[in-house]
Amino acid sequence: MNRKKILVLPFILLNSVVIIAALFKGLQISLGYYPLIGLKEITLANFQQVLTDPFFQKSLVYSCYLALTATFLSLLLGTAVAFLLLKVKSSWLHKIISLPISLPHIIVGLMMLQLISQSGIISRILFQLGLIQEIGQFPLFVHDSKGVGIILVFLYKEIPYVAVSILAILQQIQLGYIEVARNLGASNTRIFFTIVLPMIQKTLATLFIILFCFTFASFEVPYLLGSPSNQTVALTAYDLFTQADLTTRPLAFALNLIISGFCLAVTLLILTISNFLPGGRKTT
């Protein structure tokens, strides 16, 4: 074992102990063992109650809708921006596009709240220009049932992240392959699907996992911009955990473990699919 691995070993061990202890405690409480309130019997009733609850099922569907919409749009638009950055050699453009990556999600959420709410900056400008007669005529993008404001926040943050990640791969592609394909008469579409896409496919799969899991389990953005009628699973877990009645705590822990298990299942599914797509291990 070299010196670098020895130096990083204490950090890995410390974090492993903390994570394993937290998971064990969460599993213990979710299984009904919570002596603080007199619960000492191991049971799967909390998981069953959460999974069969219509409100949780609605929250799960809504969270999947937000996560899938934001993830697919981010990957599509981010890849397009990466190709733009590859062609346009402008350091200022690179810096401007990379700027949102450094901003916390909660800051972007507050910015979006001030910008696109019915009493926000855009609404006031349109009112002053006479394009709308009253503030209420401005479309509802914040606290709406479709989560438009939430999706816009994630797109603002995730498109640059995807663009920068994909750009790093595109800059390493051997341009000779593309030139040979062009000389053989291949169209740009065929070149993309047969040469470029297989090379960036595994990166896209990794980005999908990162973005989906983060968006699915996100709390602060739906909390700021979400609709009271549609809650994400993270907000549902938060509500259960902050109840004055401590008997809801095991339900909150069970829900958190279900969220983790769902993200793990999605991760394994995407990695499996990625292996069988062009550029994956099963096809190389």
Side-chain angles (χ1 to χ4, degrees):
M1 183 178 293
N2 58 39
R3 187 169 178 270
K4 290 183 179 180
K5 291 182 179 180
I6 294 176
L7 290 176
V8 81
L9 190 59
F11 175 79
I12 295 176
L13 290 176
L14 178 61
N15 281 272
S16 298
V17 169
V18 173
I19 293 173
I20 292 173
L23 287 174
F24 177 77
K25 187 67 175 179
L27 181 62
Q28 182 185 40
I29 296 176
S30 66
L31 290 175
Y33 187 79
Y34 198 20
L36 181 64
I37 57 175
L39 298 177
K40 297 182 180 181
E41 183 180 351
I42 302 298
T43 177
L44 293 174
N46 294 316
F47 288 94
Q48 183 179 1
Q49 183 175 344
V50 168
L51 291 172
T52 56
D53 184 8
F55 187 79
F56 163 73
Q57 295 171 358
K58 181 182 177 181
S59 298
L60 179 63
V61 172
Y62 184 64
S63 296
C64 287
Y65 153 72
L66 291 177
L68 289 173
T69 303
T71 301
F72 276 119
L73 289 177
S74 296
L75 291 176
L76 181 63
L77 298 176
T79 302
V81 172
F83 279 98
L84 174 65
L85 293 175
L86 188 65
K87 291 185 177 181
V88 180
K89 307 296 183 180
S90 172
S91 59
W92 284 104
L93 181 60
H94 285 234
K95 291 178 181 178
I96 291 172
I97 292 179
S98 301
L99 179 62
I101 299 176
S102 61
L103 297 176
H105 279 80
I106 191 169
I107 299 299
V108 178
L110 291 172
M111 288 168 49
M112 204 64 67
L113 185 64
Q114 295 297 323
L115 189 65
I116 63 172
S117 65
Q118 286 191 318
S119 58
I121 295 174
I122 296 179
S123 175
R124 294 178 185 180
I125 292 175
L126 294 178
F127 177 76
Q128 293 297 328
L129 293 175
L131 297 177
I132 58 175
Q133 302 303 316
E134 57 182 20
I135 298 297
Q137 291 181 344
F138 188 75
L140 185 64
F141 293 138
V142 175
H143 306 309
D144 62 311
S145 59
K146 295 182 179 179
V148 174
I150 299 173
I151 293 173
L152 288 176
V153 170
F154 288 130
L155 292 180
Y156 181 80
K157 282 283 297 177
E158 294 170 359
I159 289 175
Y161 176 69
V162 172
V164 171
S165 301
I166 297 298
L167 179 62
I169 304 300
L170 293 177
Q171 290 173 336
Q172 299 175 10
I173 291 179
Q174 298 290 336
L175 297 179
Y177 293 123
I178 297 177
E179 293 301 324
V180 170
R182 283 204 180 115
N183 292 334
L184 292 174
S187 64
N188 290 333
T189 302
R190 187 171 181 81
I191 290 173
F192 175 78
F193 283 103
T194 58
I195 299 177
V196 178
L197 186 58
M199 292 184 176
I200 66 173
Q201 182 268 122
K202 296 192 73 174
T203 302
L204 288 173
T206 303
L207 289 171
F208 182 95
I209 292 169
I210 295 172
L211 299 182
F212 179 88
C213 293
F214 180 86
T215 308
F216 180 81
S218 176
F219 168 77
E220 67 273 25
V221 178
Y223 184 78
L224 283 173
L225 305 178
S227 170
S229 61
N230 281 333
Q231 281 195 350
T232 62
V233 287
L235 285 177
T236 304
Y238 174 79
D239 287 342
L240 289 172
F241 189 82
T242 54
Q243 292 288 332
D245 184 6
L246 293 180
T247 58
T248 62
R249 289 283 178 89
L251 294 174
F253 279 96
L255 181 51
N256 279 322
L257 287 176
I258 291 172
I259 294 173
S260 300
F262 186 83
C263 290
L264 179 60
V266 170
T267 299
L268 295 176
L269 176 63
I270 297 301
L271 290 176
T272 302
I273 294 174
S274 175
N275 284 335
F276 288 94
L277 291 176
R281 286 198 299 262
K282 299 297 184 180
T283 59
T284 57

